[in-house]
Amino acid sequence: MLALKIAEEVRDALAERRPVVALETTIVTHGMPYPENVATARSLESKIRAGGAVPATIAVIGGAVRVGLSHSELESFATTRGVLKLSRNDLAYALATGQPGATTVAATMICAHLAGIRVFATGGIGGVHRVAETTFDISADLEELARTPVAVVCAGAKALLDLPKTLEYLETRGVPVVGYGTSEFPAFWSRRSGLPVPLRMDSVSQIAAMLGVKWSLGLAGGAVIANPVDAADEIPAAEMSSYIDTAVAEAAAGGIAGKAVTPFILARLVELTGGRSLRTNIALVQSNARLAAELAAATQAMARTS
Ligand code: PSU
Ligand code: MN
């Protein structure tokens, strides 16, 4: 009665120990407007293929966890209204009630792990929100990173969050946070946050080795592989910060709470920046897909030789 449906291409790749990269769908339904969302989702799949790996886009459809969607399924999913934004707490609810659901970082990690996928590419992880001391708003992504063995390739966390508290939380929960080719934790649209990254690694095979050692020791949980957006695509932090302050203040004033916060702020930022934040978001997630394909290949190569 386990409702897990893995696309044939993904199943074959996993059985033959070829590299597979998981992709989330909240970025499609709640993170970007149509039609850029579908175009981006497709471009991520092509980048992963170009990197020699098989893409596995994850969603809940018709009471099943789907791992690997066809182009037409992705298109119709992206244009369906009222798709739920699923995390650990409501994944089973969507499955049992048959409602369509997009998977966040947390839910995608759970489903990727069920399918046997170790590497996942996204834009940015959720984190500790500003004024979390009064709202208690801390993304379930962080707890998932502490318990589920999937490496999440991202551009750090969005600067709309409290980044120092997010890093502290990850440290407390034992999650390795790696800066790929950077000594600073990247802030999603911006390459720099002013915060030192806990671990710097410049080689993909070394990252694969670290993951292999971590998991062979039985250390639970995943890892954050933070890949700064290319300089040509970034919006420097100084420019981004006033837009972020405006969007965060509007969310608070409008009483936006819970899982609606991140989608609201992302959509407002696209408006406030005249579409520039969306272009940066697309570029960074594409760059993460490329790196994730490389990492998945290195991880499989390591597993074959050990
Ligand atoms: N990164 C993006 N766009 C997004 C998200 C992340 O570039 O839409 C989504 C991810 O699915 C992430 C979620 O898991 O936002 C975090 O939501 P919350 O803060 O409610 O946990
Ligand atoms: Mn939240």
Side-chain angles (χ1 to χ4, degrees):
M1 119 112 205
L2 180 61
L4 178 67
K5 292 191 182 154
I6 305 177
E8 195 180 336
E9 185 195 16
V10 175
R11 201 163 358 101
D12 289 350
L14 290 168
E16 293 163 18
R17 295 179 172 260
R18 286 185 281 119
V20 176
V21 174
L23 293 167
E24 61 153 307
T25 38
T26 295
I27 199 172
V28 176
T29 54
H30 294 71
M32 288 183 193
Y34 183 84
E36 286 89 346
N37 58 353
V38 184
T40 303
R42 286 194 182 170
S43 77
L44 299 181
E45 295 199 341
S46 338
K47 300 257 183 264
I48 288 167
R49 287 186 201 284
V54 172
T57 300
I58 294 179
V60 170
I61 303 173
V65 170
R66 299 284 312 275
V67 180
L69 302 180
S70 69
H71 278 349
S72 60
E73 285 172 329
L74 187 63
E75 174 80 31
S76 75
F77 183 75
T79 51
T80 302
R81 283 178 177 272
V83 175
L84 300 170
K85 172 185 164 188
L86 300 178
S87 189
R88 171 174 281 270
N89 62 332
D90 42 14
L91 181 61
Y93 165 81
L95 288 166
T97 59
Q99 294 179 76
T103 53
T104 58
V105 168
T108 305
M109 289 177 76
I110 294 170
C111 300
H113 179 52
L114 285 172
I117 302 169
R118 295 288 200 170
V119 178
F120 160 28
T122 186
I125 55 167
V128 180
H129 282 258
R130 298 182 188 182
V131 298
E133 56 274 32
T134 52
T135 62
F136 275 35
D137 190 355
I138 299 175
S139 176
D141 292 352
L142 300 183
E143 278 302 303
E144 209 57 52
L145 281 158
R147 66 196 286 180
T148 301
V150 173
V152 181
V153 180
C154 61
K158 294 172 207 76
L160 56 97
L161 299 163
D162 186 321
L163 296 183
K165 287 195 183 77
T166 299
L167 287 173
E168 288 294 345
Y169 196 102
L170 289 165
E171 181 186 86
T172 300
R173 300 295 285 115
V175 179
V177 177
V178 173
Y180 177 63
T182 181
S183 304
E184 261 187 56
F185 188 59
F188 199 73
W189 304 279
S190 317
R191 291 175 59 79
R192 311 185 61 164
S193 64
L195 300 167
V197 77
L199 309 166
R200 175 181 177 145
M201 298 182 89
D202 293 351
S203 132
V204 171
S205 59
Q206 264 178 20
I207 298 173
M210 182 204 67
L211 294 170
V213 171
K214 173 183 158 82
W215 291 328
S216 72
L217 290 173
L219 295 175
V224 174
I225 313 302
N227 177 36
V229 63
D230 286 347
D233 301 312
E234 84 158 335
I235 307 178
E239 249 175 273
M240 215 41 219
S241 72
S242 70
Y243 298 126
I244 292 173
D245 291 345
T246 303
V248 169
E250 284 178 6
I256 311 291
K259 58 165 75 177
V261 172
T262 300
F264 174 89
I265 293 176
L266 286 176
R268 271 305 278 144
L269 285 171
V270 174
E271 292 167 2
L272 290 166
T273 62
R276 194 169 164 212
S277 71
L278 179 59
R279 288 194 291 280
T280 299
N281 195 344
I282 293 169
L284 66 85
V285 70
Q286 287 175 335
S287 162
N288 296 340
R290 275 192 294 271
L291 178 59
E294 251 187 85
L295 180 60
T299 304
Q300 290 295 22
M302 197 123 344
R304 276 195 295 271
T305 56
S306 65

